[in-house]
Amino acid sequence: EDYNDTTPRGWISLFLIMAAYLMKDVIKGAILIYRATRLVSFRLFVGGITLVSVTSFAFLTSYFYNQAIALSDTEIITNSLILLFMTDFDEWVYQLIFFVSSNWLEKMSKEALCYERRLDNTEEDALIVQQDDVDSFTEEPSTNLSLFKYLWFVW
């Protein structure tokens, strides 16, 4: 017997929830890809492709997961919200780092901004970069922070 009581309304709800929640990441990824083509930056291009790919993967995972186990519209919505809840983990880590060490995070943010301005030397405010920001960017990063800095720059 088939106990599947899903309706098109449940699948439309899934699509709307996922689109509303994930659209910001698709837009950010598209902006990164656009900037990468404008600045000829492989790093920005990889970051944009990664962001769009991870977002697409989250959508597809939710769809196929619900296709496999959801028996009702309520389960479709519940399962998709649980998966979206889990995708917020990286933002929680960012907030935790901000809470624990806001000075360090502010320094990393300045270094990322300095790096971006150095890539995009067509903007006028590239000249405004303070010398201490440039010096802190050119210092050799410690080994335990280099992965975080790479991920931060890509993001």
Side-chain angles (χ1 to χ4, degrees), residues 14-153:
L14 169 73
F15 176 75
L16 292 175
I17 289 169
M18 298 299 282
Y21 191 82
L22 297 175
M23 191 55 66
K24 64 178 179 164
D25 289 335
V26 171
I27 291 171
K28 286 180 183 179
I31 289 171
L32 279 175
I33 293 169
Y34 170 75
R35 291 201 71 201
T37 57
R38 200 179 99 220
L39 299 173
V40 189
S41 171
F42 181 72
R43 180 180 267 174
L44 287 178
F45 182 76
V46 169
I49 292 294
T50 302
L51 186 56
V52 170
S53 298
V54 167
T55 304
S56 301
F57 183 69
F59 180 79
L60 291 173
T61 301
S62 183
Y63 173 75
F64 288 122
Y65 180 75
N66 280 306
Q67 189 77 6
I69 70 162
L71 298 176
S72 68
D73 293 344
T74 305
E75 287 184 12
I76 291 173
I77 294 170
T78 304
N79 292 338
S80 63
L81 291 176
I82 289 170
L83 289 171
L84 290 175
F85 178 75
M86 295 308 297
T87 60
D88 267 349
F89 187 73
D90 63 329
E91 293 176 22
W92 297 339
V93 170
Y94 177 83
Q95 290 174 356
L96 176 67
I97 292 171
F98 182 77
F99 179 74
V100 171
S101 180
S102 60
N103 292 336
W104 178 78
L105 191 58
E106 184 178 329
K107 180 183 175 194
M108 293 296 110
S109 297
K110 283 183 181 179
E111 289 181 9
L113 179 63
C114 178
Y115 176 76
E116 183 177 350
R117 287 179 177 168
R118 288 172 64 193
L119 276 179
D120 190 9
N121 58 6
T122 59
E123 296 181 12
E124 289 182 19
D125 51 50
L127 303 173
I128 301 174
V129 177
Q130 297 176 356
Q131 186 60 36
D132 58 341
D133 289 341
V134 174
D135 291 340
S136 68
F137 178 73
T138 57
E139 294 172 2
E140 190 65 33
S142 63
T143 56
N144 59 343
L145 299 180
S146 60
L147 176 61
F148 178 77
K149 287 174 78 171
Y150 172 74
L151 294 173
W152 181 257
F153 290 141

